[in-house]
Amino acid sequence: MIFDLPGRFWRGNLHTHSNLSDGFLSPAETAQVYRDAGYDFVAITDHFRPEYGYPMTDTRDLRTDAFTTLIGAELHAPRTEAGQQWHIVAAGLPLDFAPPSASESGPELARRARAAGAFVGMAHPSASLLTAIDAESLDAAHSVEVYNALADRENRGDSWHLTDVLLNRGHRLTTYAADDAHLQPQDPPSCQAWVHVRAESLDPDALLTALKAGHFYSSTGPELYGVRIEGDDIHVHCSPATKILLTGGHPGAEVAQGTDLTEHTFPLNLFRATHCRITVEDTSGARAWTNPIHLG
């Protein structure tokens, strides 16, 4: 499990916008928001669209010994079943990544981004009304954005259902949470959803390697201190919670509820032929999630 890997956890946001596309603040001001909130890194993923001049926001000069950035963008190309353009998060792109051609589809664009070295995420599937057919066509994705804080204001922030469908169909995807922060005055507060990436250093290449390997968990508040499988059981150690859940590729669930729960052990029998995950929820309703754990 990732909790036993060398290194430490680094907190970061993988989906952020600046005024180089439709965000409110400059890249430097945007990065400062996250730095001030105690984050270790941010990916400013401006919309890679012609109306913004296809920005590949260069944040290298914002890096310090204690804070770093990933170069990336939110990529767009036609067309999902709902008739909309794709929204694809790509962190770790080269600065000279070429704009899409007129004939390039979303899945083709995602494949090109992955081939260029990026960690590729399926952005806000629920808010984009993605279908399983859409999602399966995006075969270059490493991960699904299972929680998007901006989309949550329209009650479309959670995309776990589609993710479980994909996982049950054999797609070995990881899962991440993100702000999708634009920092506009009317927007929800920033710094509401993030990843904790396990890596030996804050070097951008080390973070990207860890992301691609699935060495991270996601949160909107709680912390996970340890998750381990021992025989037929899974043991959880976390910050104080009111609920700890074991759910996944079976309709059932194992649930522990109480006050200031910090540890619990669940039997794995229900999920032995499929996948599972741990969810921790605190008194405010904030949650943390492991990546899918494959048992089948």
Side-chain angles (χ1 to χ4, degrees):
M1 303 294 282
I2 63 170
F3 302 91
D4 299 321
L5 293 174
R8 52 159 283 193
F9 285 109
W10 308 92
R11 182 186 180 192
N13 186 41
L14 294 171
H15 188 171
T16 325
H17 299 279
S18 78
N19 63 2
L20 295 189
S21 62
D22 59 347
F24 184 68
L25 301 179
S26 70
E29 291 168 323
T30 300
Q32 188 65 49
V33 168
Y34 286 90
R35 198 159 42 229
D36 290 347
Y39 281 59
D40 301 299
F41 72 93
V42 69
I44 296 181
T45 52
D46 280 310
H47 291 286
F48 201 59
R49 284 177 163 159
E51 60 264 39
Y52 304 118
Y54 292 109
M56 189 60 60
T57 305
D58 188 352
T59 55
R60 291 175 297 176
D61 63 343
L62 305 179
R63 294 171 178 170
T64 69
D65 290 341
F67 183 85
T68 199
T69 65
L70 302 179
I71 306 298
E74 184 170 355
L75 307 177
H76 305 278
R79 184 162 303 275
T80 68
E81 280 197 53
Q84 304 299 309
Q85 285 204 330
W86 281 94
H87 291 248
I88 301 162
V89 167
L93 287 170
L95 289 166
D96 62 354
F97 187 75
S101 68
S103 62
E104 193 169 27
S105 69
E108 289 168 338
L109 180 58
R111 289 179 205 127
R112 184 159 62 86
R114 181 165 177 153
F119 170 81
V120 177
M122 198 180 302
H124 45 65
S126 182
S128 293
L129 299 183
L130 292 192
T131 66
I133 292 172
D134 287 327
E136 288 193 294
S137 75
L138 204 70
D139 51 16
H142 293 92
S143 200
V144 181
E145 196 172 88
V146 289
Y147 181 77
N148 180 294
L150 182 63
D152 197 50
R153 69 177 173 180
E154 59 189 83
N155 291 327
R156 287 178 173 169
D158 191 309
S159 294
W160 274 111
H161 173 259
L162 176 61
T163 303
D164 280 330
V165 170
L166 294 173
L167 292 167
N168 272 348
R169 292 183 180 185
H171 300 282
R172 292 291 183 112
L173 294 155
T174 57
T175 53
Y176 70 99
D179 267 355
D180 194 3
H182 292 65
L183 299 164
Q184 295 285 356
Q186 72 274 15
D187 286 348
S190 61
C191 306
Q192 298 298 302
W194 56 87
V195 289
H196 288 285
V197 181
R198 186 82 175 191
E200 293 192 64
S201 76
L202 195 53
D203 178 77
D205 288 339
L207 293 174
L208 281 169
T209 297
L211 284 164
K212 292 173 187 177
H215 297 164
F216 63 93
Y217 73 91
S218 300
S219 184
T220 65
E223 292 184 80
L224 294 173
Y225 302 137
V227 176
R228 69 179 187 275
I229 293 175
E230 294 182 347
D232 293 326
D233 298 322
I234 188 167
H235 181 75
V236 185
H237 180 206
C238 59
S239 58
T242 56
K243 186 186 297 183
I244 305 174
L245 300 98
L246 175 67
T247 55
H250 186 281
E254 300 281 357
V255 183
Q257 291 182 278
T259 302
D260 292 332
L261 296 172
T262 58
E263 290 188 87
H264 197 78
T265 298
F266 294 108
L268 284 168
N269 296 339
L270 195 61
F271 302 98
R272 271 299 179 194
T274 180
H275 67 276
C276 64
R277 65 179 171 274
I278 293 294
T279 304
V280 171
E281 185 173 319
D282 66 16
T283 55
S284 70
R287 293 170 290 169
W289 306 268
T290 64
N291 268 313
I293 301 165
H294 296 278
L295 301 170

